Amino acid sequence: MLSEAEVVAQRVIRAFDVLGIEYAIGGSVASTVHGIPRLTMDVDIIADMGEAHIEPLVAALQEEFYADADMMREAIRHYSSFNLIHLATMVKADIFLLPTTPFAASEWSRRQYKKIGADLESPEAYVASAEDMILQKLNWYRLTGERSDRQWGDVQGMLKVQGTALDFAYLAHWAEDLAVSDLLKTALEDAGLEQEKGT
């Protein structure tokens, strides 16, 4: 049986596919794909969309979601975010407009098409790579004052599940760019992977 978050992700990405909106699932759904599963009540999606997509997207989702066209318009103008709320479950999909940073471009180019749940019925979707999710989670951990056990736990889960399959050179390069090299070093040590990085 699909989780509520999987149901919401499936509904949103189905609409995106129909409308030609490119996307990548991030957040806890993506870290669960690459790491240790945990319950999440929201869905984070990066989307490359413009104002021409707004009205068709609202029309496609309005029967099942609270979708505010004005909020979408503001998000697109400012490269920020808007949310879609699934009325039956109140699960929220946070839609982040694709940033214009070098790291965002790299992350976007490395999207992977994967099943986003353990169930046979779980949908397949584009998700951010394990390396990019580790970097994102370390960045969020720093931005929230390094107090989120959940973010750190997600990082540890991905490191332990992915292990030596990770691209450590990629992690080191972008960790320096994002100013989280110290956090990456600690995370690798905690996961028993510091020798893989060569530190």
Side-chain angles (χ1 to χ4, degrees):
M1 183 176 179
L2 299 182
S3 70
E4 290 181 345
E6 288 172 9
V7 169
V8 170
Q10 186 177 53
R11 298 288 194 276
V12 174
I13 63 179
R14 184 181 298 158
F16 280 3
D17 284 341
V18 169
L19 297 174
I21 298 172
E22 292 193 67
Y23 69 88
I25 293 178
S28 298
V29 173
S31 63
T32 291
V33 169
H34 300 299
I36 297 171
R38 72 168 171 85
L39 182 66
T40 181
M41 291 304 295
D42 59 14
V43 181
D44 291 347
I45 304 176
I46 305 162
D48 185 12
M49 60 180 286
E51 292 201 21
H53 293 118
I54 294 174
E55 295 303 331
L57 184 60
V58 171
L61 295 175
Q62 63 185 353
E63 291 188 9
E64 293 186 80
F65 287 82
Y66 170 77
D68 188 314
D70 289 334
M71 188 186 300
M72 293 181 193
R73 201 166 284 111
E74 283 300 302
I76 289 169
R77 287 174 182 166
H78 301 289
Y79 287 97
S80 57
S81 64
F82 63 91
N83 54 57
L84 303 166
I85 301 172
H86 189 236
L87 300 174
T89 62
M90 299 308 290
V91 170
K92 183 174 62 170
D94 290 315
I95 313 299
F96 297 87
L97 274 296
L98 179 63
T100 57
T101 65
F103 174 64
S106 177
E107 180 181 21
W108 193 251
S109 72
R110 300 173 80 251
R111 293 174 295 162
Q112 301 171 346
Y113 198 65
K114 289 182 172 288
K115 187 178 284 288
I116 59 169
D119 195 275
L120 289 174
E121 298 177 2
S122 296
E124 291 185 320
Y126 286 102
V127 297
S129 73
E131 291 86 357
D132 291 309
M133 283 311 308
I134 289 166
L135 292 161
Q136 285 279 17
K137 290 277 183 179
L138 289 174
N139 195 39
W140 294 335
Y141 182 71
R142 170 137 291 162
L143 291 174
T144 55
E146 301 178 24
R147 292 189 297 269
S148 174
D149 291 339
R150 182 170 291 183
Q151 300 288 0
W152 191 258
D154 286 344
V155 169
Q156 286 297 303
M158 288 184 284
L159 289 173
K160 289 172 181 175
V161 170
Q162 297 298 317
T164 57
L166 291 165
D167 184 337
F168 294 98
Y170 182 89
L171 285 169
H173 170 77
W174 286 108
E176 183 175 353
D177 186 79
L178 296 169
V180 294
S181 293
D182 57 327
L183 293 180
L184 176 62
K185 184 176 187 298
T186 300
L188 289 170
E189 289 171 353
D190 287 357
L193 292 171
E194 67 275 12
Q195 295 304 315
E196 297 300 332
K197 191 192 170 199
T199 58

